[in-house]
């Protein structure tokens, strides 16, 4: 049996209800301005911004606090190129054979195709790996729990942190993504989860004119 953690007092600042509402409204306003961008500038971004966004992501709740994530930050042009070449092989297969007509029809309004120049242009590719297992100092293997939920939450915080810092991102999921283990030398107990492309938008970048569902369509109160 493992020992229990010591328990310490919670640090909790209570706010009055007016400032709670103002904070909730202002956060909604702020996150609603986030857009997924596919046209990236090659303008460099200070590494400390990425470090801090990753630290924020690492605060995410996770099953049994196992923190089943690993982030590989790729800025090396040769490695970015290798990722682009491998991703475009899979993507060409996806767009020409693998995807169902229904899937292609769903994607058509976004205008995506197998060409992924942003994988080379953007200053950072943050490749997120999901760890099916953790290892203690002795190398003993432990199964992680709720890994997809945990990594999804961490990724959401990462995207929000980068948006808050003034960058744009693209969640890119070439499928399959096993090539990332090889290129980035990650063990087979880790599953590539997604590539988060991060940087500044290209001058004149455009985004599709899409909207988000209203509250009554995404939530019910009983
Ligand atoms: N991975 C492909 C296809 C793709 C799938 C979905 I669902 C998207 O929302 C966007 C793209 C690609 O990146 O082009």
């Amino acid at each position: 049996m493992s020992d229990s953690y010591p328990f310490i007092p919670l640090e909790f600042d209570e706010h009055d209800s007016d400032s709670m509402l103002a904070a909730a409204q202002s956060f909604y306003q702020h996150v609603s301005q986030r857009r997924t961008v596919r046209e990236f500038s090659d303008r460099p971004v200070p590494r400390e911004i990425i470090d801090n966004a990753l630290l924020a992501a690492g605060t995410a709740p996770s099953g049994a606090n196992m923190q089943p994530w690993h982030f590989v930050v790729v800025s090396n042009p040769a490695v970015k190129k290798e990722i682009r070449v491998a991703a475009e092989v899979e993507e060409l297969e996806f767009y020409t054979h693998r995807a169902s007509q229904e899937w292609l029809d769903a994607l058509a309004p976004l205008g995506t195709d197998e060409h992924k120049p942003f994988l080379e242009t953007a200053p950072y590719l943050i490749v997120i790996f999901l760890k099916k297992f953790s290892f203690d100092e002795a190398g003993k293997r432990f199964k992680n729990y709720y890994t997809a939920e945990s990594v999804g939450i961490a990724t959401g915080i990462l995207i929000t942190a980068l948006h808050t810092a003034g960058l744009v991102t693209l969640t890119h999921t070439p499928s399959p993504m096993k090539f990332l283990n090889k290129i980035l030398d990650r063990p087979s107990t880790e599953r590539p989860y997604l590539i988060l492309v991060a940087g500044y938008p290209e001058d004149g970048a455009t985004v599709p004119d899409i909207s988000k569902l209203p509250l009554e369509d995404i939530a019910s109160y009983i």
Side-chain angles (χ1 to χ4, degrees):
M1 268 299 274
S2 35
D3 292 336
S4 95
Y5 294 112
F7 277 65
I8 54 174
L10 170 69
E11 282 177 37
F12 179 78
D13 295 327
E14 184 160 333
H15 303 288
D16 64 69
S17 52
D18 284 352
S19 48
M20 285 168 76
L21 178 59
Q25 287 171 331
S26 117
F27 183 73
Y28 167 48
Q29 177 62 21
H30 169 64
V31 288
S32 68
Q33 277 159 359
R34 184 204 57 80
R35 294 301 313 259
T36 291
V37 167
R38 291 190 163 76
E39 295 156 296
F40 281 81
S41 156
D42 61 3
R43 209 170 131 194
V45 168
R47 184 185 140 169
E48 293 69 29
I49 295 174
I50 306 297
D51 291 345
N52 278 277
L54 290 171
L55 285 167
T59 68
S62 63
N65 194 36
M66 293 301 213
Q67 305 168 58
W69 40 68
H70 183 82
F71 305 95
V72 181
V73 182
V74 182
S75 57
N76 180 314
V79 181
K80 286 195 290 181
K81 186 181 180 75
E82 215 183 326
I83 292 175
R84 177 185 180 179
V85 168
E88 287 185 339
V89 168
E90 298 299 352
E91 294 291 272
L92 178 62
E93 187 61 20
F94 172 84
Y95 281 97
T96 54
H97 298 105
R98 218 178 274 138
S100 63
Q101 194 52 50
E102 187 179 2
W103 195 344
L104 293 176
D105 291 346
L107 283 177
L110 293 174
T112 56
D113 62 22
E114 69 274 22
H115 302 292
K116 307 297 177 192
F118 50 77
L119 291 174
E120 280 190 87
T121 322
Y124 291 109
L125 309 178
I126 305 176
V127 185
I128 304 171
F129 286 88
L130 177 158
K131 294 164 68 170
K132 299 298 295 174
F133 301 95
S134 293
F135 297 87
D136 70 9
E137 313 82 61
K140 183 173 178 323
R141 191 168 107 158
F142 293 90
K143 189 172 157 17
N144 290 333
Y145 300 96
Y146 296 104
T147 50
E149 293 83 348
S150 305
V151 179
I153 296 166
T155 301
I157 295 176
L158 180 57
I159 292 167
T160 308
L162 292 167
H163 170 64
T164 303
L167 296 175
V168 296
T169 57
L170 166 65
T171 43
H172 179 46
T173 51
S175 167
M177 287 194 274
K178 263 289 167 200
F179 64 85
L180 290 166
N181 288 73
K182 191 160 181 283
I183 295 175
L184 302 174
D185 195 24
R186 298 308 303 173
S188 61
T189 48
E190 295 184 3
R191 174 166 77 73
Y193 183 78
L194 60 78
I195 303 175
L196 193 65
V197 185
Y200 290 100
E202 193 174 72
D203 282 346
T206 61
V207 290
D209 186 11
I210 56 174
S211 59
K212 300 295 181 186
L213 294 168
L215 184 61
E216 58 272 26
D217 289 1
I218 62 169
S220 40
Y221 290 70
I222 47 178

